[in-house]
Amino acid sequence: MTPPPSPLTGQGSCTLVGAGPGDPELLTIKAVKAIQVATVLLVDDLVSEAIVALASPTARIIHVGKRGGCKSTPQAFIEKLILMAVREGETVVRLKGGDPFVFGRGGEEVEHLQAAGVRVTVINGITAGLAAVTSLGVPLTHREHAHGVVFITGHAKPGSTGTDWKALAATAHSARLTLVIYMGVSGAHSIQDQLLTGLPASTPVAVIQNASLTSQRHAVCTLAELQRTITREKLMSPSVIVVGDVLQGTLALQQALPEARTARA
Ligand code: SAH
């Protein structure tokens, strides 16, 4: 393996910052400091305006998401922009929703930048799945209900073998795991069918959209009802789907009080 080129001299810096699920108060202090000193910010789609507003008024802000129905900026172009700015001596912050290393291709970005000789610092953010479940007052693990948790994408890289949901369902059942599915709304029907091969139809499920934002909505149902509930409640991306017995109490409450079926936070 060829060693990465040595860091460029006289260059600026690049920090990958986790912007959390949306609520600016969920940012880390480190993240806020990095955003405030940045001279160039490259901002992802799911980063809220309130967070971008923390940047210096003189900073250059580049939106690289797919807002307004436009296509997202190609990954290679984003990396090129970062590289150019760092070479010009800028203090670059790459703002990514949630945690930079939980999906969202943060790992790829760091690899490419390091290969080009740029030293990258990474600041954690609260990942959406964690914030979503907590907003319902539900723990991801619980000694009585779940011994572990799996963060998993419902949308594998095009061309790659997708997740073996049937195997995952069997493992989640026997090992008592909570499943937190990102990017799963559009494929929910198929995910539901496959999970039902290994998990009881009565397994509680929650779908949480826009976690931590004032626009947050959620629905709780059984696994057998997942797709029907998403359709009926018009739940859309960005949402996380949480599957597991940690939601038993929430589901029981809702079955006792049906008007609590969907709720704003
Ligand atoms: N790095 C991010 C995930 C990026 S992948 C993180 O750690 O949270 C994008 C997916 O994250 C969305 O499709 C959705 O499943 C989830 N997501 C991001 N923000 C969300 C939010 N505020 N509420 C619910 N889901 C969210």
Side-chain angles (χ1 to χ4, degrees):
M1 217 174 88
T2 44
S6 56
L8 308 165
T9 47
Q11 68 175 0
S13 64
C14 178
T15 310
L16 226 70
V17 176
D23 177 353
E25 295 201 352
L26 290 177
L27 284 168
T28 64
I29 294 170
K30 261 194 179 187
V32 174
K33 286 181 178 167
I35 294 168
Q36 286 172 337
V37 300
T39 57
V40 174
L41 291 100
L42 287 97
V43 182
D44 259 2
D45 222 12
L46 290 174
V47 177
S48 66
E49 281 309 314
I51 289 174
V52 180
L54 297 171
S56 155
T58 58
R60 187 148 51 99
I61 293 166
I62 307 167
H63 287 276
V64 290
K66 36 189 163 185
R67 283 226 174 105
C70 303
K71 275 198 160 232
S72 59
T73 315
Q75 190 64 25
F77 188 65
I78 296 174
E79 286 155 17
K80 216 168 171 176
L81 285 175
I82 296 176
L83 207 57
M84 273 163 47
V86 169
R87 287 187 171 143
E88 285 163 8
E90 305 283 3
T91 305
V92 180
V93 156
R94 173 77 174 102
L95 257 181
K96 296 179 82 77
D99 184 86
F101 278 174
V102 178
F103 309 119
R105 305 175 68 178
E108 288 170 49
E109 229 161 275
V110 169
E111 277 166 19
H112 293 156
L113 292 167
Q114 282 177 343
V118 174
R119 219 179 262 133
V120 185
T121 309
V122 181
I123 298 177
N124 286 123
I126 294 183
T127 190
L130 180 56
V133 182
T134 304
S135 75
L136 304 187
V138 171
L140 280 174
T141 66
H142 188 297
R143 282 209 299 189
E144 301 294 322
H145 302 298
H147 298 165
V149 54
V150 176
F151 292 102
I152 187 146
T153 173
H155 189 85
K157 183 178 172 184
S160 69
T161 350
T163 299
D164 185 343
W165 293 99
K166 292 183 181 174
L168 182 63
T171 309
H173 194 44
S174 59
R176 309 191 73 186
L177 304 175
T178 306
L179 304 181
V180 182
I181 306 167
Y182 290 63
M183 297 169 273
V185 171
S186 60
H189 198 282
S190 152
I191 293 172
Q192 169 186 336
D193 283 351
Q194 294 177 75
L195 287 181
L196 280 170
T197 62
L199 284 166
S202 58
T203 306
V205 175
V207 183
I208 305 121
Q209 180 181 336
N210 290 339
S212 89
L213 295 164
T214 49
S215 52
Q216 174 168 337
R217 298 166 64 228
H218 75 267
V220 183
C221 59
T222 61
L223 182 56
E225 289 283 319
L226 174 60
Q227 181 59 58
R228 215 171 306 157
T229 304
I230 289 174
T231 308
R232 187 187 59 230
E233 305 301 337
K234 299 187 174 62
L235 287 157
M236 284 176 280
S237 177
S239 290
V240 286
I241 301 172
V242 184
V243 181
D245 285 342
V246 285
L247 288 158
Q248 258 177 19
T250 313
L251 180 63
L253 182 69
Q254 177 214 274
Q255 284 167 339
L257 298 167
E259 65 276 17
R261 190 176 61 207
T262 60
R264 287 177 186 277

